[in-house]
Amino acid sequence: MTSDLLPISRIPRTGLPEHAVVVGAPERAADTAELLDGCVRVAQHREYLTFTGTWKDVPVVVASHGVGAPGAILLFQELADAGVSTILRLGTAGAMRAGIQDGSLVIAEAAIRDDGVTQQLMPPEYPAFAAPEAVLALQQAAKEAGAQHHRGVVWTRAAFQPGWLELPGAYARTGVTAIEMELSALLVLASARGLVAGGALVVDGANADELVDIEATGGYDPHRKVVADGVARGVRVALDALCLLAKEDGK
């Protein structure tokens, strides 16, 4: 007999809203869910914590996917299996271009596939691109919120170890904006499954070693007020962008 719950995240196979915001940390998912009306926790298993509720009368899912693309893509897959058609990732990232301030948003147009998992699923030539409507919705929501933001290509990288990162010259010359760990997996899965997907990333430091003196700055520290304030803004931007996308869908 088939279970009514999907095996990895333990979310229901049916009945979820079609629009979702995904975040890395379970506690961030819980904090985001507290903003929703009629919030209900629908699943909790491993790093996957999932809620439903409404934001400005739009039914939404909020779920955590943990750290790293191999685990995150399991949630993305199960959300798609459960009928979710639009997924926006709200995460944190290290700036890779001078002048991008901590706490600001980077809206991803595409991602470099160095994620450690999609290379095993799709040919390396297959692109990781955000849905244009997702990029525009995130940009509009950021403007309406007065949130400082940038658009560009991000680098999704499996390895995370400040002090060990070497910035490829081509990435520096072409203005790659930020580095994070999960978005390209979402974008590849979404395009392969016919979903709408995008991502907005809150800058929590300069993670390209050429841009920061690790010893002088005391090292990578994402637990600062400027970052927390940026995440709080970013969550609302992502939820507002979902509403804009839902209106386009006629929901």
Side-chain angles (χ1 to χ4, degrees), residues 6-251:
L6 289 163
I8 305 300
S9 64
R10 307 302 287 164
I11 61 175
R13 291 182 181 273
T14 60
L16 290 183
E18 296 182 24
H19 297 80
V21 168
V22 295
V23 298
E27 57 268 28
R28 186 172 295 159
D31 290 344
T32 302
E34 288 184 358
L35 301 174
L36 305 180
D37 294 324
C39 170
V40 176
R41 189 177 72 182
V42 297
Q44 183 173 10
H45 188 239
R46 297 179 182 266
E47 63 264 49
Y48 311 111
L49 180 59
T50 306
F51 300 86
T52 59
T54 60
W55 176 258
K56 298 182 179 179
D57 298 324
V58 174
V60 299
V61 177
V62 173
S64 63
H65 54 65
V67 175
I73 200 170
L74 299 176
L75 174 73
F76 308 151
Q77 178 76 39
E78 292 198 344
L79 288 173
D81 290 344
V84 174
S85 60
T86 300
I87 304 175
L88 298 180
R89 165 163 153 71
L90 188 282
T92 54
M96 290 183 58
R97 196 170 69 203
I100 299 180
Q101 296 180 353
D102 287 356
S104 62
L105 278 175
V106 171
I107 298 170
E109 297 173 335
I112 298 164
R113 288 177 50 199
D114 191 18
D115 53 60
V117 63
T118 62
Q119 299 90 336
Q120 299 179 31
L121 304 176
M122 302 288 285
E125 297 83 4
Y126 193 88
F129 59 92
E133 59 267 43
V135 175
L136 294 176
L138 286 164
Q139 180 175 265
Q140 179 179 338
K143 286 180 178 178
E144 292 177 354
Q148 185 179 24
H149 60 282
H150 308 264
R151 278 175 51 173
V153 175
V154 304
W155 180 12
T156 301
R157 181 173 167 85
F160 176 75
Q161 187 59 45
W164 289 67
L165 175 64
E166 293 184 4
L167 179 61
Y171 293 176
R173 288 194 302 273
T174 55
V176 172
T177 54
I179 181 169
E180 58 86 64
M181 299 184 70
E182 296 88 16
L183 186 59
S184 66
L186 172 60
L187 301 183
V188 167
L189 176 74
S191 58
R193 292 285 301 265
L195 311 178
V196 172
L201 307 166
V202 179
V203 173
D204 65 1
N207 284 6
D209 290 343
E210 288 83 350
L211 301 182
V212 62
D213 184 332
I214 297 293
E215 293 184 1
T217 61
Y220 171 62
D221 179 13
H223 308 292
R224 292 171 290 136
K225 185 177 185 299
V226 65
V227 178
D229 291 346
V231 169
R233 285 191 300 271
V235 163
R236 292 176 179 271
V237 166
L239 289 168
D240 285 346
L242 268 192
C243 289
L244 294 171
L245 293 168
K247 288 179 181 178
E248 290 183 7
D249 294 342
K251 302 298 183 182

